[in-house]
Amino acid sequence: MTTHKNLLGGPDPTYLPENEEAYRLLGEESRPPVEVAAKHPTFSLAWAMLADDAFESGRVVESYAYARTGYHRGLDSLRRAGWKGHGPIPWEHRANRGFLRCLAALARAAGEIDEKDETERCWQFLKDSSAEAYTELKR
């Protein structure tokens, strides 16, 4: 992955490590996200998929819980990857997408349960982390 020097002096982008086994389980083996989350609880993409599934089925509180779990597991992973609480989390990096999707799912579900402050905070966090993810996920 190419890293560009930030001329404004902000933090470098954070790139989460890949979890090839989890991707293989979801892809090649077509395992359901609930199994992948149980086997790889730090893999935010599985939590994002569970959150999206629950939301689409009208289970908003369940979606919120899945999204919050994936979000917090993602924050832990980001910190282990050197993230200091701010800075870019590029959408184009596959391993970052699970966390970013959880963040969007949390914002969406929070909006549905009328948790306005959380909704606004999460959408702003997403926008600050990755304008591309914000554009892609805020619908």
Side-chain angles (χ1 to χ4, degrees), residues 81-130:
W83 186 73
K84 303 291 186 212
H86 67 286
I89 305 167
W91 172 253
E92 66 270 6
H93 182 63
R94 177 176 75 158
N96 290 351
R97 287 185 177 203
F99 169 75
L100 295 167
R101 283 181 55 184
C102 282
L103 185 52
L106 183 57
R108 179 186 62 211
E112 287 294 311
I113 62 172
D114 206 30
E115 196 174 1
K116 290 179 175 71
D117 290 345
E118 180 77 346
T119 302
E120 292 171 16
R121 182 190 69 78
C122 289
W123 284 128
Q124 188 62 53
F125 184 8
L126 181 63
K127 189 175 188 179
D128 292 345
S129 299
S130 171

